[in-house]
Amino acid sequence: MKITNEVVEKHGLKLEEYSKIKELIKREPNFLELGIFSAMWNEHCSYKSSKVHLKKLPTKNKNVIQGPGENAGVIDIGDEDAIVFKIESHNHPSFIEPYQGAATGVGGILRDVFTMGARPIALLNSIHFGSPENEKTRNLLHGVVSGIGGYGNCIGIPTVAGETKFNNTYNENILVNAMAVGLVKKNKIFFSKAKGVNKSVVYVGSKTGRDGIHGASMASAEFDENSEEKKPTVQVGDPFTEKLLMEACLELMKDNSIISIQDMGAAGLTSSSVEMAFKGDLGIEINLDKVPCREVNMTPYEMMLSESQERMLIILEEGKEESAKKIFDKWDLDFVVIGKTTNTKKIILKYKNETVADLPIDALSSKAPQYDRKWNKIKLSEKKIDHKNLKKIKFEDAFVKIVSSCNQANKNWITEQYDQKVMCDTMEKSGGDSAVIKVHNKNKAIAVTVDSSANYCKSHPITGGKQIVCESWRNLISVGAKPIAITNCLNFGNPENPNVMGEFAESVQGIKEACEYLDYPVVSGNVSFYNGTNKKNIYPTPVIGGVGIISKIEQKRNHLLKKEGNPIFLIGKTFGHLYQSIFFEEIYSIKEGPPPEVNLLNEKNNGEFVLRIIKENLVNSVHDVSSGGIIMALAEMCLGSELGIKIEKPRKLKNLFEYFYGEDQGRYLIEVDKSNLKKIEKLSKDNNIFQEIVGFTQKDNFELTGEMKINVKDLFNINNKWYYNY
């Protein structure tokens, strides 16, 4: 095929990028080679618009074994154990074909984890949809949830936590981010770096089909009115085959056969082979005649760009081919030696006794374009609203409206579709601040959470970036875990738009500042650009996946109330910040104004104090204060327990709405035994921690003196009503 400007642009490449390709290889590429460059130079694989900013993120602390650059991050949790984890996006495929898009997102992130040698122990997700009033939203929600549940349930990995949010900004581009967590011994971690010459390159897993061709390129472009035509680029998953592949790989990993291993994810055989060779400063030669295909007459172009699922590329030690094949034969999976490593520093592809591609590895990887795109600084809104001019509303009416709204309503309808208990190690599941998974046969556990706050990031990205990291930090502490590290999935619009690029640059800056201050590094992640349709970009939506360690299981806590008559303390000061709050949005449709300030010193001090009193067994239950303020956090502490709360009016802040709905950061609610009340007061004073009693637990009713009184059972029904009717 003749390569024209139109052909180049259809491959997602700029004409100037095509000129650079010709310069690098000193000739015109053929059609197959153009496809390979398209796969490796797109945003999804090359990070060409984001790398300059991502380099600023902190990636190390004493617990980090492996940071960014591998299939997943790895942290040390003691006793020779390590946790492998990562979050990635599958936004574009899920919008086009929600079930398979979401399902293969789960499958892909699982492979990233067990490729490192870890057995997956937990799945999480962060899913964002447009207006729930749209019929399309309803269809997308049902499809995505079914896809997540279908894949995770079938493969037998519990889906333990997540978030589901609605906002008009996602009407034309939903977000589906999947996170996986695995457990591995520190001396059994595997990497993708190729080593040695003339080593066997082995294809294992499912056969290659025509699904998913140009999937990575599709994920690196905006949608338009013709997005439905891109359905063939969506991969088709098979969780039962993935289960077999996982078990076969983990079995092979028990001996010393594997030199390197790489998932065939985005860009399939192209990216896996190039990345392995590049990391090892080697070349690779592949005979495409040997690639197992499930469809007839597949071309080299289709084989190299297919994103068919449940496939791996393995480089084996010499003489291990036969024993390794027996393992994959046992699991009824393909095992074919398709090539070898070389010292050429090239990828050479052969087909029907001809060389069909001959490209330098560095041209596809390190010499890919890197852009420091123009970006605009995002100004902090100084909008002021005179509360006196707002329509008056009864406190109870506002509370009922908010607690029953789509973003605050109980998500059991969704989470009940996921198996949360399989493997029998889930100690805390969806609905709390973090999920908790017991480390099998050990008196310790890990805590995991996912968080996002698009509204905060839209109004001021630096503050929003800080806030998401801090909320993740608080959520882990609230279950008794020491926060260790994060993974991030950075979902943004078109990076060629200076305002979007400004949102990205400043969100990353905010994440950087918070992670550095809290010693909470980024060990893995993903960037998803071009989330939008017809020039309408989504709100900046960084998603943070956090992991922490509970060193002794008896230190685990949750947010549910434990005993009647106990005081509930608020840790951290309240200033009554209502801009960007659920209250302003739900009651007055006000979406303007700055987000709440993030004071990193207070976050650190308050968090470490709460973790200390948990370890000293002075706290019954803990809940962080976030979206919806104090009143929503208190309501969530009642829901799921059989107790209510009698809440006292504040002594200093006169405006009840500011006090109870303000979303000031760095705060926790803790339930304490009456006998420990004085201890908490003294310890907080000694450590310069602000605290005040906001109420006492009681039977039956959720009550604010003089303003509202709702039976706890009625509160449950109000909180569940929205999803029951959806």
Side-chain angles (χ1 to χ4, degrees), residues 238-265:
D238 179 356
F240 300 105
T241 300
E242 178 122 331
K243 171 67 172 174
L244 300 178
L245 179 62
M246 178 177 71
E247 297 300 341
C249 288
L250 293 175
E251 183 175 341
L252 182 61
M253 289 167 172
K254 291 178 181 178
D255 64 22
N256 297 315
S257 299
I258 296 175
I259 296 173
S260 63
I261 180 169
Q262 176 69 43
D263 162 43
M264 290 193 219

Side-chain angles (χ1 to χ4, degrees), residues 406-591:
C406 62
N407 281 315
Q408 299 300 309
N410 191 309
K411 307 294 195 299
N412 280 350
W413 174 85
I414 291 173
T415 58
E416 285 173 357
Q417 297 186 52
Y418 308 147
D419 191 333
Q420 300 180 70
K421 291 280 192 173
V422 65
M423 301 178 74
C424 302
D425 288 322
T426 307
M427 302 183 74
E428 294 289 339
K429 56 183 185 178
S430 296
D433 292 286
S434 299
V436 178
I437 303 99
K438 185 179 185 294
V439 177
H440 205 58
N441 294 324
K442 300 283 179 70
N443 187 38
K444 64 182 180 183
I446 63 161
V448 290
T449 181
V450 288
D451 300 282
S452 65
S453 186
N455 285 353
Y456 289 176
C457 286
K458 181 64 178 176
S459 65
H460 192 239
I462 292 179
T463 303
K466 290 181 191 176
Q467 188 275 334
I468 308 163
V469 173
C470 292
E471 184 169 349
S472 171
W473 163 271
R474 293 196 302 271
N475 282 337
L476 294 173
I477 286 174
S478 295
V479 296
K482 176 179 172 56
I484 300 298
I486 69 169
T487 180
N488 59 33
C489 193
L490 308 178
N491 306 279
F492 289 79
N494 189 333
E496 298 165 56
N497 180 320
N499 289 331
V500 171
M501 203 62 216
E503 292 169 347
F504 178 83
E506 294 196 336
S507 293
V508 170
Q509 178 64 27
I511 293 169
K512 169 187 177 292
E513 291 179 18
C515 287
E516 285 181 340
Y517 197 91
L518 299 173
D519 190 25
Y520 195 34
V522 182
V523 298
S524 61
N526 168 234
V527 176
S528 176
F529 278 132
Y530 296 98
N531 290 291
T533 300
N534 293 326
K535 311 299 181 185
K536 290 177 66 177
N537 296 295
I538 65 162
Y539 280 8
T541 314
V543 175
I544 300 295
V547 177
I549 302 172
I550 301 174
S551 55
K552 296 179 180 178
I553 286 175
E554 53 267 29
Q555 292 173 1
K556 178 186 73 68
R557 294 293 184 273
N558 61 28
H559 67 293
L560 301 178
L561 301 176
K562 303 299 188 295
K563 192 189 307 181
E564 183 184 355
N566 280 341
I568 296 177
F569 283 87
L570 175 68
I571 304 295
K573 287 186 178 180
T574 297
F575 302 98
H577 188 100
L578 287 177
Y579 293 106
Q580 298 301 325
S581 69
I582 290 292
F583 176 77
F584 264 5
E585 182 173 358
E586 289 292 336
I587 305 302
Y588 297 110
S589 299
I590 296 172
K591 300 181 181 181

Side-chain angles (χ1 to χ4, degrees), residues 709-720:
K709 187 175 183 178
I710 302 173
N711 185 275
V712 173
K713 291 181 180 177
D714 293 334
L715 177 61
F716 178 85
N717 290 331
I718 293 168
N719 186 233
N720 280 268

